[in-house]
Amino acid sequence: MSKQTERYLLLGIDFLSMNAAFVAYYWLRVESGLIATIIEPEFLLPMFVIYIYWLVWFGIFGLYRSWYLLSRLDEVVTLFRTTAVGVLVLFFLIFLDDEATNAVATSRLLIAAYWGVLFLFVSGGRLFLRGFQKRMLERGIGLRNTLIVGFTKKAQELCEMVMKYPALGYKVVGFVAASGSRTPKSSYRNIPVVGRVKDLPELLEQRKVNEVLVGLDSTEHDKLLEIMKYCDGRPVGMKIIPDLYDIVSGQARMSSIYGFPLIEVTPQLMKPWEEVAKRAVDVLVALTILAAGLPLWMMIAVLVKLDSSGPVFYRQDRVGRNGRIFTMLKFRSMVKDAEKRSGPKWAEKNDPRVTRVGRLIRRLHLDEVPQFINVLVGDMSLVGPRPERPFFVEKLSKELPLYRRRLKVRPGITGWAQIKHTYDQSVEDVRTKVKYDLFYIENMSWRFDLKILFNTIYVMMRGKGHT
């Protein structure tokens, strides 16, 4: 099944199990007569509030992500930790406002009882769903289209293992030869060689591939970076067999199901709670800046309009997360149709196309303010690699190894490369900034984002923008 369908099923099973746990706990505390109560508490409102609490809590800790990389035991252990901490926080909040906190022993018993009931119901519901998913996969329903890179004995053994365990969720739709020695007419177990490594971009699109498994021999290790280049920035997972681990050390995570070892290359970059915090900060800061500075933004819009003919906003297609095209907004700082004659080109220092007002707002970075609208709708983040135009993404992807890895994350208004380097004026500038972008991606964290934001404010106060 698709990730979206899986998430809906998870939400549904958790809705039933969480509320069933509350009903069971309510009966134990109120209806059973085992615990004395002076006033019968409300039922529906607390059940609704607590369900919303757990929904948010599970989302923060990543319990609504795709499961297929984890065993059921791993998921139950994660549930154990998450519910234990969540129950402690929940009851701390409840008893903080409870006047009857003198019954300490009873309170502790209630905490343990609710946690036990909740964990039993939620883990039971999820185990039922995972068992259902496993049976569906074993029948060939919901498998993920998979390419195996390599056509050696090792790659064929990898194919055998995948076919032996259909519950892994892989459906091998073809082999990709790592060298020119194998022709597309070759096949193994009726699975054909569909192309070579250089054909990967087209094959990923044509065959709607979700996963790429790499089974290269030691003599073919030099192909790995090329394979990563073609997969980066696309919504596909990439996993390799363990003997290639030393090549991508620091960028991988081991997973093993049914004793089947695979290394996930470039796994989830941030912890779930950090992603939630990052998005929350994005929305809060964007709303605050747009609302608080509204009179100034209106004045800039008027000045842009009076200074030269053309629209107030400059709209341009940019490449976002996972290669999705979106329209980026800026206050127009150049003359109308500045690239009509020259075609796509990077801005230059003291660019003659820049207007008088444009020169001022570029120096103060105020031309970037409309991008906070892009942040609100989710196309961009406050911090991340700067979004580039499709023309340059295609051009630079061919010239710079791993350039498309920048597309793994939301592009940002500012970033580590922006505070460490100048504006792009040549391929060499881009090459330097890609190094900074990759460093940011490999070290993404909420604290790193805050450091970049504070440095950006400092750069703006010094008026070091491009003119």
Side-chain angles (χ1 to χ4, degrees), residues 417-459:
Q418 277 62 52
I419 63 175
K420 289 294 182 179
H421 198 64
T422 59
Y423 276 59
D424 300 342
Q425 298 183 49
S426 67
V427 173
E428 285 306 313
D429 285 333
V430 176
R431 193 185 301 274
T432 302
K433 291 180 73 171
V434 166
K435 295 178 182 178
Y436 288 116
D437 286 335
L438 295 181
F439 177 83
Y440 168 74
I441 291 170
E442 295 297 335
N443 296 276
M444 281 181 69
S445 71
W446 197 52
R447 288 179 298 174
F448 196 15
D449 277 12
L450 290 178
K451 177 180 179 179
I452 293 171
L453 287 173
F454 285 131
N455 274 275
T456 301
I457 294 171
Y458 174 70
V459 170

Side-chain angles (χ1 to χ4, degrees), residues 316-319 325 388-396:
Q316 192 176 69
D317 286 346
R318 297 290 177 107
V319 182
I325 306 297
E388 192 51 86
R389 284 178 278 181
F391 172 84
F392 288 120
V393 169
E394 291 302 320
K395 181 176 185 294
L396 295 169

Side-chain angles (χ1 to χ4, degrees), residues 340-352:
K340 189 172 182 179
R341 294 183 179 179
S342 63
K345 58 179 293 187
W346 286 302
E348 303 169 354
K349 190 173 183 180
N350 298 318
D351 198 314

